[in-house]
Amino acid sequence: MSLVADTSRPVDAVTAAGKAHTDSAAAFVPDKSRAERTASFDVADFPVPRGREEEWRFTPVKKLRGLLEPGATGRLEWDTFLPEGVTVSTIPSSEARELGALPPQDRAAVVAADVEKVTLVDIPAEAELTEPVRIRLIGDDATQPIHEHIVVRAGHHCRATVLFAHRGSAQYAQLVSVLTGDASDITVVASQRWEDDAIHLAQHDALVGRDATYRHISLTLGGKIVRLNANVRYAGPGGDATLLGVYFADAGQHLEHRSFVDHNTPHCKSHVTYKGALQGASAHTVWIGDALIRAEAEGTDTYELNRNLILTDGARADSVPNLEIETGEIVGAGHASATGRFDDLQLFYLQSRGIPEDEAKRLVVRGFFADVIKQIPMADLRAEATAAIEHELATTAYAAAATSDSTTPEHTSKEN
Amino acid sequence: MSTLEIKGLTVSVHTEDGPKEILRGVDLTVSSGETHAIMGPNGSGKSTLAYSIAGHPKYTVTGGTVTLDGEDVLAMKVDQRARAGLFLAMQYPVEVPGVTVSNFLRTAKTAIDGQAPKLRTWVKDVKQAMANLRIDPEFADRNVNEGFSGGEKKRHEILQLQLLKPKVAILDETDSGLDIDALRIVADGVNQAKDETNVGVLLITHYTRILRYIKPDFVHVFVDGRIVEEGGKELADRLEDEGYDRFLTAASA
Ligand SMILES: Nc1ncnc2c1ncn2[C@@H]1O[C@H](COP(=O)(O)OP(=O)(O)O)[C@@H](O)[C@H]1O
Ligand SMILES: [Mg+2]
C-alpha cells in the first residue's frame, strides 16, 4: 500500500497496513481550493454539467440529463419503521433552510433541493433509541425522474441510527441534510441495493453539533449509476465524524463516492474509510476524498483512506485523495489510496493450508472488507452486507464452484 | 506409513537475466516418524527446496521428481499438496488482513479433512493446542499473522502443524528469531506432533541449537543447491564445532 500525503504542510506520517499494491493515485492538486466550490440553493448557479467539470469528470453525465433538469414529479414509495418519539412530517423548503440545511454543492443536489415540500425526520433531544429508524425508499420506474430533499434533525444528547435502504428501479436525485445536536451520537446508514437500471445521485450532508459523534456508512452494491457524496461540516468544536463506505461494482456499473470534510472549526476529528471491490468488464468505481483544514481549525485530526481490490480484468477504479491544510497547528492529517489485485503471497499461504484457490480468494475479499463491515452498528445490516458480498462473489468467474461448507455468512459476520 | 521421495530435483527462479538454477539435483527420502535436519549456510537454497515442495509459483521445477506415497506431488496444485498430507511451516509467514485465526484454522481444517470438524472437539483441540504453545486465547480473534511478533508467527505455524496433522511437515527455519524459551515451546510442540501423529519432519535450520530439543535421525548438509554430506546426529555436532567452511571450500573448489 502506498501512502500519499500532501507534503506542503506538516503531515503526520500514517502507516497504512497492507501489502504493496499498484498505486492508482498520486495526490491530486486541484486548480482551485475546495473552499471556492459553489454552494447554493439557486439552480441557476449550477449549469448542467457536460463532463469536463472538476466535480463531474468521472461521471457518465450524458446518461443523467433528464434527472438534472428541475421539475421532476415522480415519487419513491416510503416504508418506515419509527421508534417511539421519532416523527416524520412535511415542511416547506424555506423552513428546511431555516433549520440549517447546508446548501447543495452540485447540479444534482440543487435540483433535489428545488422542491416545495421537504420531509423532516425528527429525533427528539436526549432520546436514546434502541432500535434504528428504518426508512425504505422503493422505486418502481426507472424512467421517471424523482427529486427529493430529506432533513434529519437530531436533538442534543440523543443517540440514534437512521437507515435509508434504497431498493427497486428509479432515477433519483436526493439531498439528505443531517443536523446533529450538541453531544449527540448519530449514525446514518445508506444502503444502495438498487436494480440494474437505477440511477441515484445523492448528497448527504451533515452539520455536526458541538461534541457530537457522527457516522455515515454507505453500502453500495446495486444500481447502474450511483453517485453518493457524503459531506461534513462542524457546528462547533469537539465534533467527531466517521465516513465509511463499502462498494462492489459488477460489469456495467458506475459506483462513485465522494466525501468532503470541511474542517471549519477547531478540535474536530474526521476519519474516512472507503473500500471497494470490482469485477467484470467496464465496472467502474470512483472515490474522491476531499478534506479541507481551514486556518481556524486548529487541533484537527483527519485521515482519508481508500482501497480497491480489482478481481478480474477490465474493471477500473479511480481514487483521488485531496488534502488541503491551511494551518500547521493540527493533531494529524493523512491520506492513503491504493488499488491492487490479489496478493499472491496471501493466496499461496492460504492454499498451502489446503484451501482451494476460489475459497482462498473469497476469504481474502471478505477479510478486505471486514474492518469496515464490523463498524456497521446493526447486526442484521452487517449480516446483510456480508451476505450481499458473498452473493457478488458467488457470481465471480473464479468462484463458480461453490464447494465450501466451511464458513457460512453468519459465522463470517460474527467472527470477522 | 508415508514416504516423501525427492529425486534429482532441479529448480530455477526467474530473474531479469533469465532463469537462475538454485537447486542442482536434490535426493532425499523422508518417511513417517523420521526427522531429517537440513543444515546449510544462508543462500544455499534451503527455502527454495521447501517452497518447491509446497508448490510456490515463483519456483520452476526443471527436472527430477517429488512423490508422496507414490503420488506425483509436482502435478498437484498448492492446495492439493496440502490435502495430500504435506505441510510447510514458513520462514516468513504471511499476514492475511481481516481473516481471523479461528476462521482460518477452521477453514483450513475443513479443507484438509474434506468435512467440517465437529464443533465441540474442535474448539477444545484448538484451545488445548494454543495453551500448549503458550498462545494467548485472544489470538483466536486476531487477524492471521497481523501484528504478530516473529516468535508469535512461528508458534502460530506450529499450531497449524498440530491441528492439521500432516503426513510430512517441512519446517523452514522455525527456530530463527526465537529466544530460548520460545524455542523450547516450539520444539515441544513439534515433538508432541511427532508423538501423536508420527509425522515425518524435514527440519531446515542454519544453527544446531534447535537440534538439542528436536532430535534428528538424519542430518544433511546442504550447500549450493544440493546435499553434500549426510550422517546422523554426530554430523550436527561436528558442524557446531567446525561450521560450514569445510563444505564451502569443497563446493567452490
Ligand atoms: N527471485 C530471485 N532472483 C534471484 N535470485 C534468487 C531469487 N530468489 C532466490 N534467489 C537466490 O536463491 C538462492 C537460494 O535462496 P534461498 O532458497 O532463500 O536460500 P536459504 O533458504 O538457504 O537461505 C539465494 O542465493 C538467493 O539469492
Ligand atoms: Mg531460507
Side-chain angles (χ1 to χ4, degrees):
Chain A
M1 155 117 30
S2 65
L3 177 71
V4 190
D6 184 319
T7 48
S8 63
R9 303 281 173 167
V11 167
D12 255 12
V14 183
T15 41
K19 288 281 166 307
H21 282 282
T22 52
D23 183 10
S24 79
F28 178 75
V29 183
D31 45 9
K32 64 176 185 182
S33 166
R34 184 70 213 237
E36 294 163 33
R37 197 81 70 79
T38 308
S40 159
F41 281 100
D42 187 350
V43 175
D45 286 340
F46 297 93
V48 175
R50 299 158 56 133
R52 292 285 180 95
E53 302 76 6
E54 177 50 43
E55 65 269 40
W56 290 100
R57 65 192 179 106
F58 293 106
T59 318
V61 291
K62 289 199 177 62
K63 297 179 181 162
L64 307 176
R65 283 292 158 74
L67 190 52
L68 298 176
E69 298 303 331
T73 52
R75 268 194 64 74
L76 291 179
E77 182 195 330
W78 278 57
D79 176 7
T80 58
F81 168 83
L82 306 177
E84 208 183 314
V86 178
T87 58
V88 171
S89 58
T90 304
I91 56 173
S93 65
S94 56
E95 198 180 320
R97 292 171 208 187
E98 283 158 24
L99 288 175
L102 296 170
Q105 298 185 33
D106 66 22
R107 175 79 186 191
V110 80
V111 294
D114 188 43
V115 288
E116 284 174 17
K117 301 275 183 216
V118 174
T119 306
L120 173 68
V121 178
D122 224 342
I123 302 162
E126 298 183 29
E128 299 252 352
L129 302 188
T130 51
E131 279 286 309
V133 179
R134 292 175 186 268
I135 300 172
R136 280 167 71 92
L137 300 173
I138 306 149
D140 62 1
D141 182 358
T143 62
Q144 191 64 313
I146 301 168
H147 294 159
E148 186 156 58
H149 185 187
I150 302 166
V151 174
V152 176
R153 180 172 60 181
H156 66 85
H157 295 91
C158 75
R159 178 198 297 271
T161 295
V162 181
L163 166 67
F164 292 101
H166 301 105
R167 300 288 184 275
S169 294
Q171 228 189 93
Y172 183 44
Q174 177 192 50
L175 176 64
V176 175
S177 307
V178 184
L179 307 166
T180 85
D182 291 350
S184 62
D185 183 340
I186 299 300
T187 300
V188 172
V189 181
S191 159
Q192 290 63 248
R193 300 195 62 197
W194 298 105
E195 298 298 325
D196 288 342
D197 55 358
I199 298 177
H200 181 195
L201 306 177
Q203 178 176 317
H204 290 190
D205 289 324
L207 184 61
V208 176
R210 183 188 178 109
D211 297 326
T213 301
Y214 172 68
R215 259 171 256 97
H216 184 279
I217 301 166
S218 302
L219 175 63
T220 305
L221 298 157
K224 183 164 89 178
I225 300 171
V226 175
R227 179 177 139 119
L228 201 167
N229 304 348
N231 304 322
V232 168
R233 260 177 89 87
Y234 300 89
D240 184 348
T242 303
L243 307 178
L244 302 172
V246 166
Y247 49 89
F248 200 125
D250 290 318
Q253 283 187 302
H254 175 96
L255 306 181
E256 179 167 346
H257 295 85
R258 291 168 170 259
S259 59
F260 173 37
V261 183
D262 187 349
H263 277 280
N264 58 321
T265 310
H267 303 292
C268 290
K269 287 187 207 168
S270 62
H271 211 101
V272 178
T273 308
Y274 281 77
K275 287 192 169 187
L278 299 85
Q279 64 181 0
S282 73
H284 188 196
T285 67
V286 178
W287 175 80
I288 312 289
D290 291 341
L292 167 64
I293 304 176
R294 294 180 190 262
E296 59 270 36
E298 294 184 352
T300 291
D301 192 357
T302 181
Y303 189 56
E304 273 75 38
L305 171 91
N306 177 228
R307 290 194 65 200
N308 297 295
L309 191 55
I310 295 184
L311 306 181
T312 62
D313 289 331
R316 173 182 168 155
D318 286 293
S319 179
V320 186
N322 172 36
L323 180 56
E324 291 176 78
I325 308 178
E326 295 176 350
T327 173
E329 303 297 310
I330 57 171
V331 174
H335 54 181
S337 155
T339 297
R341 290 170 182 271
F342 282 112
D343 183 320
D344 289 340
L345 286 177
Q346 279 173 18
L347 292 182
F348 173 71
Y349 188 71
L350 295 170
Q351 287 171 258
S352 78
R353 272 39 176 162
I355 301 168
E357 183 177 0
D358 295 0
E359 201 181 343
K361 286 181 169 173
R362 283 198 293 269
L363 213 50
V364 167
V365 176
R366 280 188 219 127
F368 171 78
F369 285 120
D371 60 335
V372 180
I373 288 190
K374 81 177 169 212
Q375 295 183 64
I376 298 176
M378 297 126 82
D380 64 334
L381 208 62
R382 277 198 301 277
E384 186 189 315
T386 308
I389 288 168
E390 288 304 307
H391 178 74
E392 296 279 350
L393 289 173
T395 66
T396 312
Y398 67 72
T403 50
S404 157
D405 57 351
S406 60
T407 44
T408 62
E410 296 85 65
H411 282 136
T412 316
S413 63
K414 223 183 325 178
E415 296 194 4
N416 282 353
Chain B
M1 175 74 183
S2 287
T3 304
L4 175 71
E5 205 168 358
I6 303 162
K7 280 191 186 154
L9 187 67
T10 56
V11 169
S12 65
V13 291
H14 176 78
T15 71
E16 279 171 9
D17 315 322
K20 176 181 170 188
E21 186 169 69
I22 297 179
L23 297 190
R24 304 192 303 141
V26 178
D27 296 288
L28 185 65
T29 301
V30 180
S31 295
S32 295
E34 297 176 357
T35 298
H36 294 249
I38 293 212
M39 303 193 61
N42 281 330
S44 55
K46 303 184 299 297
S47 290
T48 302
L49 176 63
Y51 278 131
S52 299
I53 296 168
H56 194 295
K58 186 177 126 182
Y59 301 94
T60 310
V61 174
T62 53
T65 58
V66 178
T67 58
L68 180 64
D69 298 333
E71 299 282 331
D72 182 0
V73 169
L74 298 177
M76 299 178 196
K77 292 184 185 168
V78 176
D79 53 301
Q80 291 170 329
R81 297 179 192 204
R83 293 201 296 276
L86 292 175
F87 178 83
L88 169 60
M90 293 188 201
Q91 186 174 3
Y92 302 107
V94 181
E95 294 181 11
V96 191
V99 178
T100 59
V101 166
S102 67
N103 187 14
F104 167 67
L105 292 175
R106 196 186 54 235
T107 306
K109 183 66 176 171
T110 303
I112 298 270
D113 290 2
Q115 61 180 55
K118 291 216 173 51
L119 200 63
R120 274 185 53 191
T121 47
W122 174 246
V123 170
K124 206 180 98 222
D125 289 351
V126 173
K127 272 195 182 144
Q128 185 60 54
M130 287 178 76
N132 290 347
L133 288 161
R134 313 275 198 286
I135 298 174
D136 193 304
E138 64 115 14
F139 272 69
D141 298 322
R142 301 256 309 256
N143 293 334
V144 172
N145 291 318
E146 218 176 51
F148 289 20
S149 70
E152 287 163 351
K153 283 181 182 167
K154 297 298 173 72
R155 278 183 276 162
H156 181 237
E157 295 292 284
I158 301 308
L159 175 67
Q160 295 168 56
L161 166 68
Q162 291 204 341
L163 293 169
L164 300 181
K165 306 192 192 309
K167 293 174 180 155
V168 176
I170 305 164
L171 312 182
D172 190 2
E173 302 218 15
T174 297
D175 54 328
S176 70
L178 297 184
D179 63 31
I180 192 67
D181 293 334
L183 183 69
R184 268 204 202 107
I185 291 166
V186 160
D188 284 351
V190 174
N191 288 329
Q192 193 188 349
K194 281 170 58 173
D195 291 346
E196 284 175 9
T197 65
N198 206 31
V199 59
V201 174
L202 190 57
L203 185 73
I204 294 175
T205 181
H206 183 86
Y207 302 104
T208 49
R209 202 168 63 126
I210 194 171
L211 303 182
R212 273 176 238 145
Y213 305 99
I214 303 174
K215 295 277 175 266
D217 303 303
F218 306 93
V219 173
H220 312 266
V221 182
F222 203 81
V223 176
D224 202 17
R226 59 157 66 106
I227 292 169
V228 294
E229 187 159 326
E230 297 179 294
K233 168 109 185 35
E234 74 291 344
L235 183 54
D237 299 334
R238 226 182 126 187
L239 285 171
E240 171 89 20
D241 298 336
E242 299 175 7
Y244 294 109
D245 285 359
R246 178 163 65 94
F247 302 103
L248 291 176
T249 9
S252 54

